[in-house]
Amino acid sequence: MRQTAQALGVLAAATALGPVALSTASAQSQTSGAAASNATGNAASSVATRSATDWPTRPVRILTPFPPGAGPETVARMVAEKLQKKWGKPVIVENKPGANGFLAIDAFKRGAQDGHDLIQLDNVHLVVYPHLFKKLPYDPVKDFDPLTPLFRTYFFVGVAASSKYKTVADLVAEAKARPGALNYGSWSVGNAVHLGAAQLEALTHTQMQHVVYKDTSMLYAAVASGELDFALGSMATAGPLQRAGRIRFIAVAAPHRLPAFPDLPTVAESGGPAGYEVTGWTTLAAPRHLPKAVADKIQRDIEAALDEPDLRQRYATFGYEPFPVTRDPFSRFMAAESSKYADIVKRLNIALD
């Protein structure tokens, strides 16, 4: 206000002195206006920085669609513990499983929009469901700002320990010899395990039968008993039965062998299609319109937590691996994943209400 008054005073005096003085006064006025504008911008930037420095001002809640004890949920709790020490405020993980994750998402959308409510999302929420459901109770672009991935896990091709199938080539040969006879399973239509197996079916030009089970425990019990010929599974889901000797992994759907399984071939090495990958990943997301300075702070602090050695050691328990990418490369990765699953869903002609 003071600078604006000074500019008006200069213009008033110049009017009495004539055109030359008015021109000079106009230049002075523009200079004063620019200074005022810069001062306003600097003030806004200062407020944003101070806001990020002061954040959080109260407990932070992380909503998760996973049930207590699930691998992804356990990772969220490990990260929350690190962030609580960093921020000096309670960081509470609140489980809201069920309804395809929509319960957690609804609570997030109705929650705090200043970053004090965050949400853990699975890859299906961001890159699969938008192509699968005719109508979603959320907009994956407008509602979320995925800050950084928490982990990535590759899926294994699992068969019964007593199965005659030793390689992926064996499965493919059987599927070609008896179209529609070979079966695989998952716990719902449209999850990564279902779509990943369907992708294998498409790439090998075979016909297989998809069987849906009520939950993951029933699914992998069916694999172990031989009721199912095979199923894709992660260490967090199929690992317990694999460690118990009831399920045998014949390949991993990854671009390379995993350090924890150096003797296990990739799908391509096992006689399957080249370039075949099936991954699962989760991310922590903030509200889309959170101030950039606050979002950047949360992202940096999450990344620092994920980089701590004890957390990385715990990852091995679940067969997870760090996935250290910043926001722009992560956005490009999600776009590529979305395109891949759009093609799979279109090929399968799946649509859910």
Side-chain angles (χ1 to χ4, degrees):
M1 290 296 290
R2 180 180 178 185
Q3 289 164 326
T4 302
Q6 288 174 341
L8 291 173
V10 170
L11 286 171
T15 301
L17 295 174
V20 175
L22 182 59
S23 175
T24 303
S26 177
Q28 291 176 346
S29 175
Q30 291 173 1
T31 301
S32 298
S37 177
N38 289 337
T40 302
N42 291 337
S45 176
S46 176
V47 169
T49 302
R50 188 165 61 250
S51 174
T53 303
D54 295 341
W55 190 96
T57 59
R58 59 182 187 277
V60 175
R61 180 175 64 156
I62 297 176
L63 291 150
T64 177
F66 300 100
E73 187 263 3
T74 303
V75 168
R77 291 189 181 278
M78 291 191 292
V79 172
E81 183 180 342
K82 301 287 186 184
L83 295 176
Q84 182 165 296
K85 292 178 181 177
K86 173 75 174 178
W87 293 338
K89 294 285 191 298
V91 179
I92 303 157
V93 175
E94 185 173 317
N95 302 86
K96 286 193 174 295
N100 299 304
F102 298 164
L103 297 179
I105 290 172
D106 180 65
F108 172 76
K109 289 177 63 179
R110 290 186 291 102
Q113 298 298 299
D114 58 1
H116 287 89
D117 274 352
L118 305 173
I119 187 168
Q120 183 181 26
L121 295 171
D122 192 88
N123 56 328
V124 295
H125 300 122
L126 294 171
V127 302
V128 178
Y129 285 172
H131 309 294
L132 192 63
F133 283 87
K134 295 177 181 177
K135 186 177 182 181
L136 282 175
Y138 63 91
D139 186 314
V141 175
K142 295 180 180 179
D143 291 334
F144 310 116
D145 180 5
L147 299 173
T148 187
L150 296 179
F151 65 82
R152 174 167 56 185
T153 185
Y154 289 103
F155 286 89
F156 300 88
V157 181
V159 299
S162 59
S163 173
K164 65 179 181 180
Y165 306 116
K166 308 299 181 184
T167 66
V168 174
D170 292 341
L171 289 172
V172 173
E174 183 79 3
K176 288 185 175 181
R178 296 192 302 139
L182 200 75
N183 58 26
Y184 63 87
S186 77
W187 56 88
S188 66
V189 173
N191 60 71
V193 165
H194 169 215
L195 296 182
Q199 183 186 12
L200 178 64
E201 188 179 0
L203 290 172
T204 56
H205 307 288
T206 56
Q207 294 179 4
M208 307 180 196
Q209 175 104 21
H210 176 223
V211 183
V212 178
Y213 287 80
K214 184 177 180 180
D215 54 39
T216 56
S217 61
M218 293 179 64
L219 167 66
Y220 296 110
V223 174
S225 70
E227 182 180 313
L228 275 179
D229 292 310
F230 78 96
L232 299 180
S234 67
M235 278 301 295
T237 54
L241 287 179
Q242 184 267 342
R243 290 190 292 271
R246 298 181 58 196
I247 283 180
R248 176 164 41 87
F249 292 155
I250 61 174
V252 60
H256 51 75
R257 296 193 181 198
L258 303 186
F261 294 86
D263 298 327
L264 186 68
T266 65
V267 166
E269 292 173 332
S270 187
Y276 176 73
E277 296 179 27
V278 184
T279 62
W281 45 268
T282 71
T283 179
L284 275 186
R288 169 56 65 181
H289 299 295
L290 190 66
K292 186 177 184 299
V294 176
D296 287 348
K297 171 185 171 57
I298 300 172
Q299 177 191 347
R300 288 193 303 269
D301 291 345
I302 293 171
E303 289 172 349
L306 294 174
D307 201 40
E308 294 196 23
D310 62 326
L311 193 146
R312 291 192 171 220
Q313 290 172 2
R314 293 281 302 278
Y315 269 29
T317 306
F318 304 103
Y320 297 160
E321 67 176 26
F323 190 14
V325 296
T326 53
R327 259 145 94 203
D328 287 343
F330 188 35
S331 294
R332 291 193 292 272
F333 168 79
M334 287 190 291
E337 286 275 282
S338 179
S339 177
K340 178 182 77 172
Y341 283 113
D343 289 342
I344 296 172
V345 169
K346 183 177 180 181
R347 189 187 310 124
L348 294 175
N349 194 27
I350 305 174
L352 300 179
D353 294 324

